[in-house]
Amino acid sequence: MSASRFPKFLKPDDESFASERDAAPADDHVTSFVFNAHQSLNLAAQRERLPIRQYRDQILYCLEHYQTLVLVGETGSGKSTQVPQYLYEFGWHTKGLIGITEPRRISAITLADRVATERGELCGETVGVSIRFISKCDPAQTKIKYMTEGILLREMLADPLLTQYAVIMVDEAHERNTLTDTALGLLKKIARKRPNLRIIISSATVDAELFRDFFNLKSKGATKDTAVILTVEGRMYAQEIYYLRDPCPDYVKETVNTVMKIHRAEGKGDVLAFLTGQEEVLRAVDLLREHVEASGKEDMQILPMYGTLSNADQLKVFFTAPKGVRKVVLATNIAETSVTIPGIVYVIDCGFVKLKWYSADSTTDSLVVVPVSKAAAEQRAGRAGRIRSGKVYRLYTEEAWEKLPEHTPPEMRRSDLCSTVLFLKALGIDNILRFTFPSPPPAKNLLACLETLYALEALDAEGQLTSPVGYFLAEMSIPPMMAKMLYKAGEMGCSEEILIIIAMLQVQSVFSKPAGGQAAIRGRIAKRNFEVAEGDLITLLNVYCAFVESGRTKEFCGRNFLIYRNLKRAHEIKTQLAGMLERELNIPLLSAGGNVETICRCIVAGFFPYAAYLHHSGVYRTVRGNTELSIHPLSALYTEQQPQWVVFCELIHTTKLFMKDLTVIQQQWLPEIAPHYYHKVTVRDHLL
């Protein structure tokens, strides 16, 4: 055995990366949780049991003869961990790096750790990982590199043809987020220039034909395609599909009624019901438990499943229920592609899904509930045919099924594109409208994004990046409005405080929420001690300053009901950003010295497009778009007297459209700080 194979004993690794805001998405549709059915076996035996193992030779053959391989396989089949190792074993690492992109930071880190463990190494040797603010790579040793899509895009700025890579694998491509589609569009351009580059598109759903056609670079007169599809199949059984005769008024209650009918009338087999979000899942769980208590029988195990659930609670859905007990799992889209639950025979599809949607009129994102697509409905139905023939109950009519869209609109078509356009401009792609995205975004969204970037002074009247503002915003790996706020902070003399606010916005909430009783009351009182009338961002600044003054101790966080891990991560991000500001961007680190008005004015300099005023009807309205808004219940301003003018950082659409991360401002600051965007209009002007 080589020396590198001997066990190495280390202190426990720092898991602070798990506090990043995108590690637990607000829409509950994805999870960082991975269930391993063969955990008790040694690593070599586990690798042999994976479905991908029998396709090893076919995968290598396809990559020898085709430039692009679209690899389709179920979640848990081993695509993410085994394919890079097969390529390494076959010698592809001698031609360049083997790069694997992941849509989430936590996925990149956990997969890199897993592959390193399987190879008997530490992460950072042959197997490395690179995410925003964290990098474990050795330039001399690392040959397999896991990273987020954002990191790959950043590397393109320095090396547009990715000359150091021999293979790029885009994992979880079916999620179709904005970064994925941007990376795919650029990889297609690179593939034309580098025929020796191999591209693997890994997907769990039926988008395979779209990806193959997109990457098929066959020239006129050529007989051979450059892209091919390989499907890693598990055994599938037939499903019977049932529809409602008449539409139902409340699909949550209908889901509960259908579960009870299945439980009373059908044979053995577990039930999986799809709902749109955490609130609906918990409501259905409560209703079902009432039915079970009323029946007096303990013959049903009711389990929720959503992205922000703890790993221990997520694990429960994978265990077999006790004898004579039927397992009922109530889940969001998380069970559609992110995980595969064993034992499911009956599937209930509510017919709706919660998606993030961008409004070009108000230039804001919100979460909305929309009808499910046919592709997603088929994916849900497929969960019923894993172990034997199953039954699918769709809570809508067959006529409604015929009217459903074929595919769920990718995020590129329904999200804010400011960061994407900035990046493409920095890469030298001037004609954004002609860029080949897999799914081109609506012109209306692109126009709104160009207007926003023009208002932020990142683009000039010709649509070119401005210097220095535009290049600064493109260089920063944070949203453009935060980057503009940081740029202005150097001029206004408050860059130290703005850096802290930006770092605090990069992590999840720093306030812990005890479950109930006296602890919940004490937690609320502790939070009130930090809250200020200026709003949430200044409250976050207060928390950070108090944390640093106390010596950044766990004891301080425990006394004040703060989450130590998140505050520690915010401190690391702030330190890294500060170093980059002084070293690379030549922006001085200055403190406002307690002048809160200067800090608030600087916040307005970045977030002026997201301004709202208190309407005489008692609700807030955006200055642009006249959209009705409310203050989020978790905001520091929720229990205060409503201020006349605020700016917000994001919107959340649940029962209403809520503003999050608010700052109180003065009306006259808007035309002063952004005169190109706001100007006062008198009644006489309106009449004219």
Side-chain angles (χ1 to χ4, degrees), residues 610-627:
Y610 288 179
Y613 66 97
L614 184 60
H615 193 255
H616 60 75
S617 60
V619 298
Y620 282 92
R621 291 193 176 178
T622 54
V623 179
R624 173 175 176 163
N626 218 24
T627 308

Side-chain angles (χ1 to χ4, degrees), residues 50-56 58-59 70-79 83 203 229-236:
L50 290 168
I52 197 83
R53 180 65 184 85
Q54 59 185 306
Y55 293 87
R56 178 182 182 274
Q58 290 92 322
I59 291 168
V70 181
L71 188 60
V72 183
E74 284 300 323
T75 306
S77 61
K79 304 185 299 297
V83 172
S203 175
I229 298 172
L230 178 64
T231 304
V232 179
E233 290 185 346
R235 188 169 181 192
M236 290 291 293

